[in-house]
Amino acid sequence: MNLEHIDLNLLVYIDVLLRERNVTRAANALGITQPAMSNSLKRLRDTFGDPLLVRTSEGMQPTERAVALQPLIHQILANIEQVVEPANDFDASSAERVFRILTSDYGEATVIPPLLERLREHAPGIVLDILTPSDMSFPEVEQGHVDLVINRFDTMPQAFHQTTLWRDTFSCMFHAGHRLNQHYTLDEYLAANHVWVNKTGMGAGMGLSPKDINRLGWVDECLKQIGHVRHISVFTRHYQSATLMAAQKGLVVTIPTKAAQLQSHNDQLIIRQPPFEVPAFEFKMAWSPLLQHNKAHQWLRKQVTDAAHLTKMSVLDND
């Protein structure tokens, strides 16, 4: 193929078209007219020899060829951005902008506070917008609608960049007056009333019941592997709510250790290792390939990494 006859603007157009899946919305996003967008789609179809988007009862849907092209085009545009981006470093001390971070309240309670301390000292004009995992899907993150996702993941698109902030274990929490404080055995643990808490992955979650053993997550999967099931009385998606529930004498909470240690000052709460093996997990930071070479984003990632290091050090001090 002769690249002299290829209009690179078409790559921007197809990127937006595949994101919006609507000619009018794509035109509005690019600031061009709807006829101009329709003409660009025709040129794209001629260039790739494929319809790319086809009309269905559910609206415009990408073809198999378009689905395969989308991550490649993302990467090409990111590389072009790196080439043309000014070489000047990001001046955090004078910058005024909003960074959007997607994380659970486990991340919000552990890594965000030391991050805010760093921002107040080095970048007073920076504002954080903290979103929850149910606010966005992976495709929306890949399109750069948020800057970072900080969470533990069951799965993640291969196109994403990622780094591990720390590894965490699980701990059990219960009131000092709970019978587990006198007889901390697996049988007593199983006989107790439990608070289930978990929010991994992306997008809106679904309701659960104790019968959903195959969807209950890591703790219950570990119990299933040794032939046991715990009695779940409460389902929540908020780690901090779960720690408050642990203060009730009849409930037991099994959550990541760093979340549990936020309540270590409470003399009424007991924190212990689970009476069965639960593997440690990796708490990660991930971001779109479109943001990999952005100077401001590189600066933000370093701040989060440094804040995570401070979190690890404070936990070791508490130990």
Side-chain angles (χ1 to χ4, degrees), residues 39 47 63 72 84 100 108 140 157 163 184 203 211 218 279 296:
N39 182 59
T47 298
T63 63
L72 299 176
V84 301
R100 290 183 171 84
E108 193 168 359
E140 290 174 307
T163 187
Y184 191 64
K211 296 180 180 180
W218 297 5

PDB file of all heavy atoms in Angstrom, residues 39 47 63 72 84 100 108 140 157 163 184 203 211 218 279 296:
ATOM      1  N   ASN A  39     -19.029  11.122   4.790  1.00  0.00           N
ATOM      2  CA  ASN A  39     -18.070  10.996   3.684  1.00  0.00           C
ATOM      3  C   ASN A  39     -16.782  10.323   4.154  1.00  0.00           C
ATOM      4  O   ASN A  39     -16.192   9.502   3.447  1.00  0.00           O
ATOM      5  CB  ASN A  39     -17.766  12.370   3.097  1.00  0.00           C
ATOM      6  CG  ASN A  39     -16.821  12.294   1.913  1.00  0.00           C
ATOM      7  OD1 ASN A  39     -17.112  11.647   0.906  1.00  0.00           O
ATOM      8  ND2 ASN A  39     -15.672  12.955   2.041  1.00  0.00           N
ATOM      9  N   THR A  47     -10.927   2.396   2.022  1.00  0.00           N
ATOM     10  CA  THR A  47      -9.526   2.164   2.386  1.00  0.00           C
ATOM     11  C   THR A  47      -9.315   0.763   2.948  1.00  0.00           C
ATOM     12  O   THR A  47      -8.359   0.068   2.584  1.00  0.00           O
ATOM     13  CB  THR A  47      -9.073   3.208   3.429  1.00  0.00           C
ATOM     14  OG1 THR A  47      -9.170   4.518   2.857  1.00  0.00           O
ATOM     15  CG2 THR A  47      -7.640   2.948   3.872  1.00  0.00           C
ATOM     16  N   THR A  63     -17.856  -4.325  12.683  1.00  0.00           N
ATOM     17  CA  THR A  63     -17.615  -5.638  12.091  1.00  0.00           C
ATOM     18  C   THR A  63     -16.434  -6.310  12.797  1.00  0.00           C
ATOM     19  O   THR A  63     -15.729  -5.693  13.613  1.00  0.00           O
ATOM     20  CB  THR A  63     -17.281  -5.492  10.601  1.00  0.00           C
ATOM     21  OG1 THR A  63     -16.055  -4.750  10.465  1.00  0.00           O
ATOM     22  CG2 THR A  63     -18.391  -4.770   9.856  1.00  0.00           C
ATOM     23  N   LEU A  72      -5.234  -1.562  17.511  1.00  0.00           N
ATOM     24  CA  LEU A  72      -4.078  -1.175  16.694  1.00  0.00           C
ATOM     25  C   LEU A  72      -4.103   0.323  16.405  1.00  0.00           C
ATOM     26  O   LEU A  72      -3.063   0.998  16.469  1.00  0.00           O
ATOM     27  CB  LEU A  72      -4.073  -1.966  15.377  1.00  0.00           C
ATOM     28  CG  LEU A  72      -3.979  -3.494  15.492  1.00  0.00           C
ATOM     29  CD1 LEU A  72      -4.092  -4.123  14.112  1.00  0.00           C
ATOM     30  CD2 LEU A  72      -2.675  -3.896  16.163  1.00  0.00           C
ATOM     31  N   VAL A  84       4.700  14.038  18.380  1.00  0.00           N
ATOM     32  CA  VAL A  84       4.429  15.472  18.213  1.00  0.00           C
ATOM     33  C   VAL A  84       4.305  16.214  19.534  1.00  0.00           C
ATOM     34  O   VAL A  84       4.269  17.447  19.559  1.00  0.00           O
ATOM     35  CB  VAL A  84       3.134  15.692  17.395  1.00  0.00           C
ATOM     36  CG1 VAL A  84       3.252  15.042  16.038  1.00  0.00           C
ATOM     37  CG2 VAL A  84       1.914  15.154  18.146  1.00  0.00           C
ATOM     38  N   ARG A 100      -8.713  11.995  36.941  1.00  0.00           N
ATOM     39  CA  ARG A 100      -9.793  11.091  37.345  1.00  0.00           C
ATOM     40  C   ARG A 100      -9.215   9.706  37.627  1.00  0.00           C
ATOM     41  O   ARG A 100      -8.536   9.121  36.782  1.00  0.00           O
ATOM     42  CB  ARG A 100     -10.870  11.031  36.264  1.00  0.00           C
ATOM     43  CG  ARG A 100     -11.647  12.332  36.179  1.00  0.00           C
ATOM     44  CD  ARG A 100     -12.792  12.306  35.176  1.00  0.00           C
ATOM     45  NE  ARG A 100     -13.578  13.516  35.349  1.00  0.00           N
ATOM     46  CZ  ARG A 100     -13.279  14.696  34.790  1.00  0.00           C
ATOM     47  NH1 ARG A 100     -12.235  14.791  33.985  1.00  0.00           N
ATOM     48  NH2 ARG A 100     -14.029  15.758  35.013  1.00  0.00           N
ATOM     49  N   GLU A 108      -9.292   3.904  47.951  1.00  0.00           N
ATOM     50  CA  GLU A 108      -9.525   5.288  48.374  1.00  0.00           C
ATOM     51  C   GLU A 108      -9.057   5.514  49.805  1.00  0.00           C
ATOM     52  O   GLU A 108      -8.585   6.597  50.153  1.00  0.00           O
ATOM     53  CB  GLU A 108     -11.018   5.611  48.249  1.00  0.00           C
ATOM     54  CG  GLU A 108     -11.349   7.076  48.365  1.00  0.00           C
ATOM     55  CD  GLU A 108     -12.770   7.388  47.950  1.00  0.00           C
ATOM     56  OE1 GLU A 108     -13.501   6.456  47.544  1.00  0.00           O
ATOM     57  OE2 GLU A 108     -13.158   8.561  48.027  1.00  0.00           O
ATOM     58  N   GLU A 140     -14.367   2.073  28.181  1.00  0.00           N
ATOM     59  CA  GLU A 140     -14.361   3.510  28.461  1.00  0.00           C
ATOM     60  C   GLU A 140     -13.008   3.944  29.040  1.00  0.00           C
ATOM     61  O   GLU A 140     -12.517   5.033  28.739  1.00  0.00           O
ATOM     62  CB  GLU A 140     -15.489   3.851  29.429  1.00  0.00           C
ATOM     63  CG  GLU A 140     -16.869   3.741  28.820  1.00  0.00           C
ATOM     64  CD  GLU A 140     -17.969   3.951  29.827  1.00  0.00           C
ATOM     65  OE1 GLU A 140     -17.972   3.269  30.873  1.00  0.00           O
ATOM     66  OE2 GLU A 140     -18.847   4.794  29.576  1.00  0.00           O
ATOM     67  N   PRO A 157      -7.784  -6.104  30.030  1.00  0.00           N
ATOM     68  CA  PRO A 157      -7.429  -6.137  28.609  1.00  0.00           C
ATOM     69  C   PRO A 157      -5.923  -6.100  28.395  1.00  0.00           C
ATOM     70  O   PRO A 157      -5.202  -5.391  29.115  1.00  0.00           O
ATOM     71  CB  PRO A 157      -8.095  -4.868  28.056  1.00  0.00           C
ATOM     72  CG  PRO A 157      -9.222  -4.588  28.994  1.00  0.00           C
ATOM     73  CD  PRO A 157      -8.727  -5.022  30.348  1.00  0.00           C
ATOM     74  N   THR A 163       1.023  -1.727  36.586  1.00  0.00           N
ATOM     75  CA  THR A 163       2.114  -1.977  37.516  1.00  0.00           C
ATOM     76  C   THR A 163       1.517  -2.366  38.857  1.00  0.00           C
ATOM     77  O   THR A 163       0.401  -1.947  39.205  1.00  0.00           O
ATOM     78  CB  THR A 163       3.020  -0.739  37.677  1.00  0.00           C
ATOM     79  OG1 THR A 163       4.161  -1.075  38.458  1.00  0.00           O
ATOM     80  CG2 THR A 163       2.278   0.410  38.358  1.00  0.00           C
ATOM     81  N   TYR A 184     -10.962 -19.612  68.445  1.00  0.00           N
ATOM     82  CA  TYR A 184     -10.711 -19.205  67.057  1.00  0.00           C
ATOM     83  C   TYR A 184     -10.328 -20.435  66.247  1.00  0.00           C
ATOM     84  O   TYR A 184      -9.151 -20.766  66.064  1.00  0.00           O
ATOM     85  CB  TYR A 184      -9.612 -18.149  66.992  1.00  0.00           C
ATOM     86  CG  TYR A 184      -9.507 -17.497  65.625  1.00  0.00           C
ATOM     87  CD1 TYR A 184     -10.565 -16.745  65.123  1.00  0.00           C
ATOM     88  CD2 TYR A 184      -8.365 -17.644  64.842  1.00  0.00           C
ATOM     89  CE1 TYR A 184     -10.489 -16.149  63.874  1.00  0.00           C
ATOM     90  CE2 TYR A 184      -8.277 -17.043  63.586  1.00  0.00           C
ATOM     91  CZ  TYR A 184      -9.347 -16.311  63.109  1.00  0.00           C
ATOM     92  OH  TYR A 184      -9.282 -15.724  61.868  1.00  0.00           O
ATOM     93  N   GLY A 203     -17.520  -1.955  35.693  1.00  0.00           N
ATOM     94  CA  GLY A 203     -18.909  -1.894  35.268  1.00  0.00           C
ATOM     95  C   GLY A 203     -19.868  -2.190  36.402  1.00  0.00           C
ATOM     96  O   GLY A 203     -19.479  -2.527  37.527  1.00  0.00           O
ATOM     97  N   LYS A 211     -26.521 -18.423  47.658  1.00  0.00           N
ATOM     98  CA  LYS A 211     -26.492 -19.573  46.751  1.00  0.00           C
ATOM     99  C   LYS A 211     -25.555 -19.361  45.567  1.00  0.00           C
ATOM    100  O   LYS A 211     -25.264 -20.307  44.834  1.00  0.00           O
ATOM    101  CB  LYS A 211     -27.901 -19.870  46.244  1.00  0.00           C
ATOM    102  CG  LYS A 211     -28.872 -20.299  47.346  1.00  0.00           C
ATOM    103  CD  LYS A 211     -30.254 -20.588  46.759  1.00  0.00           C
ATOM    104  CE  LYS A 211     -31.225 -21.012  47.857  1.00  0.00           C
ATOM    105  NZ  LYS A 211     -32.581 -21.292  47.305  1.00  0.00           N
ATOM    106  N   TRP A 218     -12.943 -14.563  46.058  1.00  0.00           N
ATOM    107  CA  TRP A 218     -11.748 -15.302  46.462  1.00  0.00           C
ATOM    108  C   TRP A 218     -11.894 -16.038  47.785  1.00  0.00           C
ATOM    109  O   TRP A 218     -11.497 -17.195  47.904  1.00  0.00           O
ATOM    110  CB  TRP A 218     -10.558 -14.342  46.537  1.00  0.00           C
ATOM    111  CG  TRP A 218     -10.219 -13.735  45.214  1.00  0.00           C
ATOM    112  CD1 TRP A 218     -10.912 -13.886  44.039  1.00  0.00           C
ATOM    113  CD2 TRP A 218      -9.127 -12.883  44.916  1.00  0.00           C
ATOM    114  NE1 TRP A 218     -10.322 -13.181  43.034  1.00  0.00           N
ATOM    115  CE2 TRP A 218      -9.223 -12.548  43.542  1.00  0.00           C
ATOM    116  CE3 TRP A 218      -8.091 -12.353  45.663  1.00  0.00           C
ATOM    117  CZ2 TRP A 218      -8.304 -11.715  42.906  1.00  0.00           C
ATOM    118  CZ3 TRP A 218      -7.173 -11.534  45.049  1.00  0.00           C
ATOM    119  CH2 TRP A 218      -7.277 -11.214  43.680  1.00  0.00           C
ATOM    120  N   PRO A 279      -4.817 -17.018  49.438  1.00  0.00           N
ATOM    121  CA  PRO A 279      -3.621 -16.470  48.790  1.00  0.00           C
ATOM    122  C   PRO A 279      -3.625 -14.943  48.782  1.00  0.00           C
ATOM    123  O   PRO A 279      -4.678 -14.296  48.768  1.00  0.00           O
ATOM    124  CB  PRO A 279      -3.714 -17.019  47.354  1.00  0.00           C
ATOM    125  CG  PRO A 279      -4.613 -18.203  47.452  1.00  0.00           C
ATOM    126  CD  PRO A 279      -5.586 -17.891  48.546  1.00  0.00           C
ATOM    127  N   ALA A 296       2.054  14.645  31.745  1.00  0.00           N
ATOM    128  CA  ALA A 296       1.303  14.853  32.983  1.00  0.00           C
ATOM    129  C   ALA A 296       0.910  13.516  33.597  1.00  0.00           C
ATOM    130  O   ALA A 296       0.954  13.334  34.822  1.00  0.00           O
ATOM    131  CB  ALA A 296       0.062  15.703  32.707  1.00  0.00           C
TER     132      ALA A 296
END
